[in-house]
Amino acid sequence: MSESTVVSNLPQLDGETAVSRSAVVPQELVDRYACGPVGFSGSADALYDRHLFHDNVVGEESVNARLQYEAVARTVRDVLSQRWVRTEQTYQRENAKRVYYLSMEFLMGRALGNNIRNLQLDSVAGEVFKSKNIDWTNILEEEPDAGLGNGGLGRLAACFLDSMATLQLPAMGYGLRYEYGIFKQSIDNGWQVERPDNWLRYNDPWEVARPDEAIEVKLNCSFHMEDGRLKVLSNEPSTLIAIPYDRPIVGYGGTTVNTLRLWAAAAPDYFDFHRFSKGEFIAALADSLAAETITRVLYPDDSTMRGEALRFFQQYLLVAASLGDLVRRFRAANDDWHAFPDKAAIQLNDTHPTLSVPELMRILLDDARLGWDEAWDITQRTLAYTNHTLLPEALEKWPLEWFEMLIPRHLEIIYEINRRFLDSVRERFPGDEARVTRMSLVEEGSTRKIRMANLAIVGSHSTNGVAAIHSELLRTKTVRDFHDMLPERFNNKTNGVTQRRWLLLCNPALSAVITDAIGDRWITDLSELRKLTPLADDAEFRSRVRGAKRGAKASFAAWLRTTQGVVVNPDTIFDSVVKRIHEYKRQLLDALRIIVLYNRLRENPDLEMQPRTFFFAGKAAPAYALAKLIIKLVNNISAVIDNDLVVRGRLKVLFLPDYRVSLAERLIPATEVSNQISTAGYEASGTGNMKFMMNGALTIGTRDGATIEMAEESGEENFFLFGLTADQVADNRGWYNPQWHYENEPETRAALDLIFSDHFSANEPGIFEPLRKTLLTGGDFYMHLADLTSYIEADQRLLKLYADPDAWTRMAILNIAGSGKFSSDRTIAEYAAEIWDAKPCPVR
Ligand SMILES: *Cc1c(COP(=O)(O)O)cnc(C)c1O
């Protein structure tokens, strides 16, 4: 690490050359690169030129920032490409046990800065930029976020890939290559507007298409387009082609380069042969568009399951292509099917890839011709399932008729699994038919459905939650019947985030302060941060940490001004709530807090109150009307406060559009107060909470998800915890009455009255009326009003501490020092040891 303090989130230019840093840039990499047709040492810029002018066939006059970005990225890819090949060769040679992480979402964000950093090519890149006179800031901005996910679940998958590569695990991610990722959000008159995210409009320099490794996926129906809509013809068997597109996942230090393999759906060349011969040549080819529709777009719903058949097709495509691919790889090196669980561990990221259970059974029964018991044993030992939510509306259930139409053989297998499983339930709990009904894989009713969570638990050897409280609630509430019967299958794996992206890359100033104090081992062993604990009492260290935070605030303010023309004052407290917009996450509670503070200032303009800036960011599912109304409310509060002379300059509210990884990377280092205020018992883990903690923000929050464990690590006295506990929320359900709070708490009442009096909607009277139902007459399911008073109290304690900068910074340091547990390296090491039985396989 460089000793200098750098305040932009760019690779550091420290003047050293790659060769002189061979201790960190693997010499063998440099050597191999120099062996190619173009020299490496000292002339990466020659390679850059070749990519810039030759790949695109352009002259100097056509060069723009986008082309420069592509050429830089391709140059970086050249450096890693042979290492990438070597990684796969090593795994093959060693016949290592592989870990396959199946996920419908990978919220990767940008790759260029991360890859340069993980390859430790900062100085080489610096040389190129200098000699080519490239504006690095502009280049980075040319890369679109790879937004193939909604939020926490997809970002977790991305952090896991980084950790698995850094820990040198023989791992691979499998997902879908959506042509359109999570929608782009803009704000029009305060309302969310969605626009398509055409992230592949230009050549993506990272991906490598491998059509020769395509997988055929057989279906019992066929598709065609009718009036622009996808139509399904049942009982007309057809084949889809899944084409893999590989992306490199560079482990820190560049020794291991793993693969994220994303599948794109396509029609086979012989698509609808039959119609060709009937003379419908053009029509048949036009219908091949229908096949490609399947991976066109990511579903933008977070925490809600929408029963759309296309989504079901997507899930089956992911499962069939990935299992087809990994079984082929297994067969190339092994001839005994019984070795399968010793050579492959498949992790299901939520229930989305649960069709893996019947698909693997089908392969073992029909292709390998094993008996049922053998096939079932292999399937269970190979698969493991991660649950991500306790919300009932998020639990997946798919109509039986879709199985019948698309994959009837799988339905047959599910029935047989269910028959055997329910027999064992009856044997264990004789006469308890209610239990049998609850545990069945099939939900009876007007439309019969398959319960995917039940299938995932029954068909795997491990079910884990993602934070201690979440795993506990799973065991004792959500799937209690399954825990009664199969307790040994349940375990906890508290989530984590990669400190390479979420500290080293996004916060170079704080990273340099930390490294100067304790060395750089924290980059691959975050528990090293404990060494910062005694430094909380070191005035010099405190002042450096404060300086880093101040620098990050100033950079963020400057970025806001230049990119969006918005002015914020870095001398105010930066307070953030950034995450998907959802009632259980309670952005509304934050809005009420701000209105209470606003009312206090209106009532008493001389009141002393530190000036604050409140940042909100997050996307609402396009069909989630109330979440969209919450965005509108925040924007209207923002506008009203800006126009109010009494509070202007003391309170400022800002809704930042289009929350995404690259925005989080800028905002989190600049934040001082992290709000984690979900109704206790509803946030499975949270990972945003961890990112803020390691960047020195203090948390004001409820005892929910991983926030509980964060407070354990740093000490509850260093957190601003408030509100009902999960137990209290559950106990209060029966009698909780929001009306009581309205009638008995003057500030709560005044805040609500202000909203309902159209104070924030003078030109749009009545638009916030639906909130009356949410918060009052409808029972306030997420108990905003129950927690508002204690939220305000915690907020006052926080403000008091902020007035003492030494005490504040001391606490921030104790938070950073306690954040070591929340590295995804720790999480992945636990999965590897306790679920996968996977070992590192160093590349040679
Ligand atoms: C970390 C992250 C999330 C998850 O945030 P939570 O607060 O845990 O819900 C969502 N979106 C993005 C872009 C993230 O980086």
mmCIF file of all heavy atoms in Angstrom, residues 107 145 150-153 155-156 159 302 497 502 578-580 584-585 659-665 668 675-676 683 685-692, ligand 1:
data_model
loop_
_atom_site.group_PDB
_atom_site.id
_atom_site.type_symbol
_atom_site.label_atom_id
_atom_site.label_comp_id
_atom_site.label_asym_id
_atom_site.label_seq_id
_atom_site.Cartn_x
_atom_site.Cartn_y
_atom_site.Cartn_z
ATOM 1 N N LEU A 107 -25.240 -8.800 -8.362
ATOM 2 C CA LEU A 107 -25.199 -7.336 -8.447
ATOM 3 C C LEU A 107 -23.728 -6.903 -8.386
ATOM 4 O O LEU A 107 -23.220 -6.522 -7.333
ATOM 5 C CB LEU A 107 -26.015 -6.741 -7.300
ATOM 6 C CG LEU A 107 -26.329 -5.246 -7.345
ATOM 7 C CD1 LEU A 107 -27.005 -4.848 -8.647
ATOM 8 C CD2 LEU A 107 -27.220 -4.862 -6.167
ATOM 9 N N ASP A 145 -22.674 0.018 -14.480
ATOM 10 C CA ASP A 145 -22.766 -0.998 -13.428
ATOM 11 C C ASP A 145 -23.358 -2.270 -14.044
ATOM 12 O O ASP A 145 -24.337 -2.186 -14.789
ATOM 13 C CB ASP A 145 -23.720 -0.540 -12.319
ATOM 14 C CG ASP A 145 -23.046 0.346 -11.284
ATOM 15 O OD1 ASP A 145 -22.292 1.248 -11.694
ATOM 16 O OD2 ASP A 145 -23.296 0.139 -10.085
ATOM 17 N N ASN A 150 -31.280 -7.123 -7.644
ATOM 18 C CA ASN A 150 -32.161 -6.132 -7.042
ATOM 19 C C ASN A 150 -31.534 -5.398 -5.882
ATOM 20 O O ASN A 150 -31.728 -4.197 -5.725
ATOM 21 C CB ASN A 150 -33.427 -6.836 -6.533
ATOM 22 C CG ASN A 150 -34.467 -6.994 -7.616
ATOM 23 O OD1 ASN A 150 -35.137 -6.030 -7.963
ATOM 24 N ND2 ASN A 150 -34.584 -8.186 -8.182
ATOM 25 N N GLY A 151 -30.848 -6.125 -5.028
ATOM 26 C CA GLY A 151 -30.339 -5.518 -3.800
ATOM 27 C C GLY A 151 -29.446 -6.492 -3.070
ATOM 28 O O GLY A 151 -28.554 -7.105 -3.674
ATOM 29 N N GLY A 152 -29.717 -6.667 -1.777
ATOM 30 C CA GLY A 152 -28.832 -7.420 -0.901
ATOM 31 C C GLY A 152 -28.492 -8.829 -1.378
ATOM 32 O O GLY A 152 -27.328 -9.229 -1.331
ATOM 33 N N LEU A 153 -29.501 -9.565 -1.848
ATOM 34 C CA LEU A 153 -29.261 -10.954 -2.244
ATOM 35 C C LEU A 153 -28.266 -11.042 -3.410
ATOM 36 O O LEU A 153 -27.358 -11.874 -3.424
ATOM 37 C CB LEU A 153 -30.594 -11.612 -2.608
ATOM 38 C CG LEU A 153 -30.620 -13.021 -3.172
ATOM 39 C CD1 LEU A 153 -31.902 -13.712 -2.748
ATOM 40 C CD2 LEU A 153 -30.527 -13.015 -4.693
ATOM 41 N N ARG A 155 -26.125 -8.640 -4.309
ATOM 42 C CA ARG A 155 -24.817 -8.096 -3.916
ATOM 43 C C ARG A 155 -24.057 -9.115 -3.067
ATOM 44 O O ARG A 155 -22.842 -9.219 -3.154
ATOM 45 C CB ARG A 155 -25.006 -6.766 -3.193
ATOM 46 C CG ARG A 155 -23.724 -6.052 -2.848
ATOM 47 C CD ARG A 155 -22.771 -5.838 -4.044
ATOM 48 N NE ARG A 155 -21.444 -6.314 -3.726
ATOM 49 C CZ ARG A 155 -20.412 -6.360 -4.585
ATOM 50 N NH1 ARG A 155 -20.538 -5.946 -5.838
ATOM 51 N NH2 ARG A 155 -19.263 -6.820 -4.211
ATOM 52 N N LEU A 156 -24.780 -9.885 -2.262
ATOM 53 C CA LEU A 156 -24.130 -10.933 -1.469
ATOM 54 C C LEU A 156 -23.431 -11.920 -2.400
ATOM 55 O O LEU A 156 -22.280 -12.312 -2.171
ATOM 56 C CB LEU A 156 -25.162 -11.674 -0.609
ATOM 57 C CG LEU A 156 -24.554 -12.751 0.299
ATOM 58 C CD1 LEU A 156 -23.892 -12.105 1.515
ATOM 59 C CD2 LEU A 156 -25.597 -13.764 0.748
ATOM 60 N N CYS A 159 -20.230 -10.383 -3.575
ATOM 61 C CA CYS A 159 -19.190 -10.384 -2.536
ATOM 62 C C CYS A 159 -18.642 -11.794 -2.337
ATOM 63 O O CYS A 159 -17.433 -11.981 -2.145
ATOM 64 C CB CYS A 159 -19.733 -9.839 -1.217
ATOM 65 S SG CYS A 159 -19.923 -8.033 -1.184
ATOM 66 N N ASP A 302 -38.149 -6.965 -5.331
ATOM 67 C CA ASP A 302 -37.332 -7.346 -4.199
ATOM 68 C C ASP A 302 -38.297 -7.768 -3.106
ATOM 69 O O ASP A 302 -39.181 -7.022 -2.758
ATOM 70 C CB ASP A 302 -36.508 -6.130 -3.767
ATOM 71 C CG ASP A 302 -35.378 -6.507 -2.842
ATOM 72 O OD1 ASP A 302 -34.442 -7.172 -3.285
ATOM 73 O OD2 ASP A 302 -35.455 -6.115 -1.678
ATOM 74 N N VAL A 497 -19.478 -8.787 3.774
ATOM 75 C CA VAL A 497 -19.213 -8.050 2.524
ATOM 76 C C VAL A 497 -17.710 -8.076 2.274
ATOM 77 O O VAL A 497 -16.923 -8.255 3.211
ATOM 78 C CB VAL A 497 -19.713 -6.585 2.590
ATOM 79 C CG1 VAL A 497 -21.213 -6.540 2.868
ATOM 80 C CG2 VAL A 497 -18.961 -5.781 3.652
ATOM 81 N N TRP A 502 -15.513 -2.759 -0.494
ATOM 82 C CA TRP A 502 -16.285 -1.869 0.386
ATOM 83 C C TRP A 502 -15.436 -1.096 1.381
ATOM 84 O O TRP A 502 -15.949 -0.395 2.235
ATOM 85 C CB TRP A 502 -17.400 -2.659 1.077
ATOM 86 C CG TRP A 502 -18.416 -3.118 0.087
ATOM 87 C CD1 TRP A 502 -18.666 -4.392 -0.299
ATOM 88 C CD2 TRP A 502 -19.284 -2.290 -0.718
ATOM 89 N NE1 TRP A 502 -19.640 -4.423 -1.277
ATOM 90 C CE2 TRP A 502 -20.035 -3.151 -1.546
ATOM 91 C CE3 TRP A 502 -19.517 -0.908 -0.811
ATOM 92 C CZ2 TRP A 502 -21.002 -2.684 -2.461
ATOM 93 C CZ3 TRP A 502 -20.466 -0.441 -1.717
ATOM 94 C CH2 TRP A 502 -21.193 -1.327 -2.525
ATOM 95 N N VAL A 578 -30.149 4.067 2.842
ATOM 96 C CA VAL A 578 -30.042 3.686 1.430
ATOM 97 C C VAL A 578 -30.201 2.182 1.309
ATOM 98 O O VAL A 578 -29.429 1.418 1.857
ATOM 99 C CB VAL A 578 -28.697 4.152 0.819
ATOM 100 C CG1 VAL A 578 -28.657 5.660 0.741
ATOM 101 C CG2 VAL A 578 -27.495 3.672 1.610
ATOM 102 N N LYS A 579 -31.216 1.761 0.600
ATOM 103 C CA LYS A 579 -31.566 0.358 0.431
ATOM 104 C C LYS A 579 -32.846 0.317 -0.374
ATOM 105 O O LYS A 579 -33.460 1.366 -0.609
ATOM 106 C CB LYS A 579 -31.753 -0.328 1.786
ATOM 107 C CG LYS A 579 -32.657 0.495 2.745
ATOM 108 C CD LYS A 579 -32.759 -0.104 4.143
ATOM 109 C CE LYS A 579 -31.542 0.106 4.995
ATOM 110 N NZ LYS A 579 -30.861 -1.123 5.389
ATOM 111 N N ARG A 580 -33.279 -0.887 -0.825
ATOM 112 C CA ARG A 580 -34.551 -0.953 -1.512
ATOM 113 C C ARG A 580 -35.644 -0.322 -0.648
ATOM 114 O O ARG A 580 -35.602 -0.384 0.575
ATOM 115 C CB ARG A 580 -34.908 -2.420 -1.831
ATOM 116 C CG ARG A 580 -34.097 -2.991 -2.978
ATOM 117 C CD ARG A 580 -34.296 -2.243 -4.278
ATOM 118 N NE ARG A 580 -35.598 -2.500 -4.830
ATOM 119 C CZ ARG A 580 -35.812 -3.222 -5.938
ATOM 120 N NH1 ARG A 580 -34.801 -3.727 -6.611
ATOM 121 N NH2 ARG A 580 -37.030 -3.406 -6.384
ATOM 122 N N TYR A 584 -41.183 -2.823 5.264
ATOM 123 C CA TYR A 584 -40.530 -3.407 6.444
ATOM 124 C C TYR A 584 -39.199 -2.727 6.745
ATOM 125 O O TYR A 584 -38.732 -2.739 7.879
ATOM 126 C CB TYR A 584 -40.363 -4.936 6.286
ATOM 127 C CG TYR A 584 -39.125 -5.383 5.548
ATOM 128 C CD1 TYR A 584 -37.888 -5.438 6.204
ATOM 129 C CD2 TYR A 584 -39.164 -5.766 4.211
ATOM 130 C CE1 TYR A 584 -36.740 -5.841 5.541
ATOM 131 C CE2 TYR A 584 -38.038 -6.179 3.548
ATOM 132 C CZ TYR A 584 -36.826 -6.215 4.209
ATOM 133 O OH TYR A 584 -35.693 -6.610 3.547
ATOM 134 N N LYS A 585 -38.586 -2.109 5.735
ATOM 135 C CA LYS A 585 -37.330 -1.394 5.965
ATOM 136 C C LYS A 585 -37.579 -0.005 6.586
ATOM 137 O O LYS A 585 -36.671 0.646 7.063
ATOM 138 C CB LYS A 585 -36.545 -1.274 4.658
ATOM 139 C CG LYS A 585 -35.957 -2.612 4.167
ATOM 140 C CD LYS A 585 -35.212 -2.444 2.860
ATOM 141 C CE LYS A 585 -34.624 -3.731 2.303
ATOM 142 N NZ LYS A 585 -33.338 -4.114 2.927
ATOM 143 N N TYR A 659 -30.142 4.421 -6.969
ATOM 144 C CA TYR A 659 -29.233 3.734 -6.044
ATOM 145 C C TYR A 659 -28.696 2.469 -6.711
ATOM 146 O O TYR A 659 -29.437 1.677 -7.289
ATOM 147 C CB TYR A 659 -29.974 3.366 -4.751
ATOM 148 C CG TYR A 659 -29.039 2.798 -3.706
ATOM 149 C CD1 TYR A 659 -27.881 3.485 -3.350
ATOM 150 C CD2 TYR A 659 -29.292 1.568 -3.096
ATOM 151 C CE1 TYR A 659 -27.006 2.971 -2.400
ATOM 152 C CE2 TYR A 659 -28.425 1.051 -2.141
ATOM 153 C CZ TYR A 659 -27.282 1.756 -1.804
ATOM 154 O OH TYR A 659 -26.419 1.250 -0.870
ATOM 155 N N ARG A 660 -27.389 2.305 -6.625
ATOM 156 C CA ARG A 660 -26.701 1.191 -7.285
ATOM 157 C C ARG A 660 -25.336 1.045 -6.640
ATOM 158 O O ARG A 660 -24.959 1.882 -5.806
ATOM 159 C CB ARG A 660 -26.577 1.481 -8.788
ATOM 160 C CG ARG A 660 -25.774 2.751 -9.081
ATOM 161 C CD ARG A 660 -25.992 3.246 -10.511
ATOM 162 N NE ARG A 660 -25.152 4.409 -10.828
ATOM 163 C CZ ARG A 660 -25.400 5.657 -10.460
ATOM 164 N NH1 ARG A 660 -26.468 5.952 -9.720
ATOM 165 N NH2 ARG A 660 -24.580 6.638 -10.799
ATOM 166 N N VAL A 661 -24.597 0.028 -7.028
ATOM 167 C CA VAL A 661 -23.318 -0.238 -6.362
ATOM 168 C C VAL A 661 -22.383 0.968 -6.465
ATOM 169 O O VAL A 661 -21.774 1.387 -5.473
ATOM 170 C CB VAL A 661 -22.658 -1.510 -6.942
ATOM 171 C CG1 VAL A 661 -21.227 -1.669 -6.418
ATOM 172 C CG2 VAL A 661 -23.488 -2.740 -6.579
ATOM 173 N N SER A 662 -22.281 1.553 -7.660
ATOM 174 C CA SER A 662 -21.301 2.634 -7.798
ATOM 175 C C SER A 662 -21.706 3.877 -7.004
ATOM 176 O O SER A 662 -20.839 4.643 -6.578
ATOM 177 C CB SER A 662 -21.077 2.979 -9.277
ATOM 178 O OG SER A 662 -22.284 3.336 -9.898
ATOM 179 N N LEU A 663 -23.009 4.056 -6.762
ATOM 180 C CA LEU A 663 -23.429 5.170 -5.891
ATOM 181 C C LEU A 663 -23.132 4.841 -4.426
ATOM 182 O O LEU A 663 -22.651 5.687 -3.666
ATOM 183 C CB LEU A 663 -24.920 5.476 -6.101
ATOM 184 C CG LEU A 663 -25.522 6.581 -5.219
ATOM 185 C CD1 LEU A 663 -24.758 7.892 -5.344
ATOM 186 C CD2 LEU A 663 -27.001 6.810 -5.563
ATOM 187 N N ALA A 664 -23.391 3.604 -4.046
ATOM 188 C CA ALA A 664 -23.084 3.180 -2.668
ATOM 189 C C ALA A 664 -21.602 3.376 -2.374
ATOM 190 O O ALA A 664 -21.224 3.809 -1.281
ATOM 191 C CB ALA A 664 -23.471 1.707 -2.476
ATOM 192 N N GLU A 665 -20.761 3.085 -3.352
ATOM 193 C CA GLU A 665 -19.314 3.218 -3.152
ATOM 194 C C GLU A 665 -18.905 4.665 -2.870
ATOM 195 O O GLU A 665 -17.887 4.911 -2.237
ATOM 196 C CB GLU A 665 -18.557 2.704 -4.379
ATOM 197 C CG GLU A 665 -18.553 1.183 -4.484
ATOM 198 C CD GLU A 665 -18.030 0.653 -5.807
ATOM 199 O OE1 GLU A 665 -17.812 1.462 -6.747
ATOM 200 O OE2 GLU A 665 -17.855 -0.562 -5.924
ATOM 201 N N ILE A 668 -21.255 5.759 0.940
ATOM 202 C CA ILE A 668 -20.981 5.087 2.222
ATOM 203 C C ILE A 668 -19.739 5.657 2.925
ATOM 204 O O ILE A 668 -19.803 5.940 4.130
ATOM 205 C CB ILE A 668 -20.938 3.555 2.019
ATOM 206 C CG1 ILE A 668 -22.367 3.052 1.736
ATOM 207 C CG2 ILE A 668 -20.349 2.851 3.245
ATOM 208 C CD1 ILE A 668 -22.481 1.602 1.314
ATOM 209 N N ASN A 675 -28.587 4.483 9.162
ATOM 210 C CA ASN A 675 -29.896 4.109 9.695
ATOM 211 C C ASN A 675 -30.241 2.684 9.277
ATOM 212 O O ASN A 675 -30.312 2.389 8.083
ATOM 213 C CB ASN A 675 -30.974 5.056 9.153
ATOM 214 C CG ASN A 675 -30.862 6.436 9.769
ATOM 215 O OD1 ASN A 675 -31.509 6.727 10.779
ATOM 216 N ND2 ASN A 675 -30.020 7.274 9.192
ATOM 217 N N GLN A 676 -30.461 1.814 10.264
ATOM 218 C CA GLN A 676 -30.825 0.407 9.999
ATOM 219 C C GLN A 676 -32.048 0.137 10.852
ATOM 220 O O GLN A 676 -31.942 -0.386 11.949
ATOM 221 C CB GLN A 676 -29.643 -0.510 10.340
ATOM 222 C CG GLN A 676 -28.346 -0.134 9.630
ATOM 223 C CD GLN A 676 -28.424 -0.224 8.101
ATOM 224 O OE1 GLN A 676 -29.250 -0.978 7.550
ATOM 225 N NE2 GLN A 676 -27.579 0.525 7.410
ATOM 226 N N GLU A 683 -35.811 -8.018 8.855
ATOM 227 C CA GLU A 683 -34.627 -7.917 7.977
ATOM 228 C C GLU A 683 -33.770 -9.148 8.251
ATOM 229 O O GLU A 683 -33.249 -9.310 9.350
ATOM 230 C CB GLU A 683 -33.834 -6.642 8.295
ATOM 231 C CG GLU A 683 -32.659 -6.384 7.372
ATOM 232 C CD GLU A 683 -33.078 -5.973 5.965
ATOM 233 O OE1 GLU A 683 -33.263 -6.883 5.119
ATOM 234 O OE2 GLU A 683 -33.241 -4.774 5.715
ATOM 235 N N SER A 685 -30.765 -10.184 7.333
ATOM 236 C CA SER A 685 -29.415 -9.859 7.803
ATOM 237 C C SER A 685 -29.110 -8.382 7.598
ATOM 238 O O SER A 685 -28.801 -7.649 8.518
ATOM 239 C CB SER A 685 -28.374 -10.694 7.038
ATOM 240 O OG SER A 685 -27.085 -10.149 7.202
ATOM 241 N N GLY A 686 -29.253 -7.950 6.330
ATOM 242 C CA GLY A 686 -28.718 -6.657 5.943
ATOM 243 C C GLY A 686 -27.243 -6.848 5.644
ATOM 244 O O GLY A 686 -26.557 -7.676 6.268
ATOM 245 N N THR A 687 -26.764 -6.127 4.634
ATOM 246 C CA THR A 687 -25.318 -6.067 4.396
ATOM 247 C C THR A 687 -24.883 -4.612 4.265
ATOM 248 O O THR A 687 -23.717 -4.297 4.505
ATOM 249 C CB THR A 687 -24.912 -6.842 3.127
ATOM 250 O OG1 THR A 687 -25.768 -6.441 2.043
ATOM 251 C CG2 THR A 687 -25.004 -8.338 3.349
ATOM 252 N N GLY A 688 -25.843 -3.736 3.922
ATOM 253 C CA GLY A 688 -25.540 -2.309 3.896
ATOM 254 C C GLY A 688 -25.029 -1.869 5.271
ATOM 255 O O GLY A 688 -24.043 -1.120 5.389
ATOM 256 N N ASN A 689 -25.678 -2.363 6.332
ATOM 257 C CA ASN A 689 -25.272 -2.036 7.697
ATOM 258 C C ASN A 689 -23.768 -2.284 7.914
ATOM 259 O O ASN A 689 -23.072 -1.490 8.547
ATOM 260 C CB ASN A 689 -26.141 -2.837 8.699
ATOM 261 C CG ASN A 689 -26.281 -4.320 8.356
ATOM 262 O OD1 ASN A 689 -25.711 -4.798 7.365
ATOM 263 N ND2 ASN A 689 -27.047 -5.048 9.156
ATOM 264 N N MET A 690 -23.260 -3.387 7.343
ATOM 265 C CA MET A 690 -21.840 -3.753 7.533
ATOM 266 C C MET A 690 -20.903 -2.806 6.775
ATOM 267 O O MET A 690 -19.839 -2.435 7.265
ATOM 268 C CB MET A 690 -21.609 -5.175 7.022
ATOM 269 C CG MET A 690 -22.491 -6.209 7.689
ATOM 270 S SD MET A 690 -22.470 -7.777 6.785
ATOM 271 C CE MET A 690 -23.678 -8.692 7.768
ATOM 272 N N LYS A 691 -21.320 -2.439 5.559
ATOM 273 C CA LYS A 691 -20.489 -1.535 4.753
ATOM 274 C C LYS A 691 -20.288 -0.206 5.485
ATOM 275 O O LYS A 691 -19.190 0.335 5.532
ATOM 276 C CB LYS A 691 -21.135 -1.278 3.389
ATOM 277 C CG LYS A 691 -21.379 -2.522 2.545
ATOM 278 C CD LYS A 691 -22.304 -2.193 1.364
ATOM 279 C CE LYS A 691 -22.868 -3.449 0.723
ATOM 280 N NZ LYS A 691 -24.028 -3.160 -0.155
ATOM 281 N N PHE A 692 -21.379 0.302 6.057
ATOM 282 C CA PHE A 692 -21.278 1.566 6.797
ATOM 283 C C PHE A 692 -20.367 1.418 8.012
ATOM 284 O O PHE A 692 -19.547 2.282 8.300
ATOM 285 C CB PHE A 692 -22.672 2.025 7.257
ATOM 286 C CG PHE A 692 -23.511 2.635 6.167
ATOM 287 C CD1 PHE A 692 -24.610 1.964 5.656
ATOM 288 C CD2 PHE A 692 -23.208 3.899 5.662
ATOM 289 C CE1 PHE A 692 -25.399 2.538 4.659
ATOM 290 C CE2 PHE A 692 -23.993 4.478 4.667
ATOM 291 C CZ PHE A 692 -25.087 3.792 4.159
HETATM 292 C C1 LIG B 1 -25.300 -3.504 -0.071
HETATM 293 C C2 LIG B 1 -26.313 -3.124 -1.064
HETATM 294 C C3 LIG B 1 -27.662 -3.432 -0.847
HETATM 295 C C4 LIG B 1 -28.153 -4.110 0.414
HETATM 296 O O1 LIG B 1 -28.459 -3.114 1.357
HETATM 297 P P1 LIG B 1 -29.346 -3.437 2.660
HETATM 298 O O2 LIG B 1 -29.256 -2.177 3.451
HETATM 299 O O3 LIG B 1 -28.645 -4.573 3.354
HETATM 300 O O4 LIG B 1 -30.700 -3.756 2.210
HETATM 301 C C5 LIG B 1 -28.581 -3.040 -1.798
HETATM 302 N N1 LIG B 1 -28.211 -2.385 -2.916
HETATM 303 C C6 LIG B 1 -26.921 -2.065 -3.151
HETATM 304 C C7 LIG B 1 -26.573 -1.325 -4.396
HETATM 305 C C8 LIG B 1 -25.930 -2.425 -2.238
HETATM 306 O O5 LIG B 1 -24.653 -2.106 -2.491
#
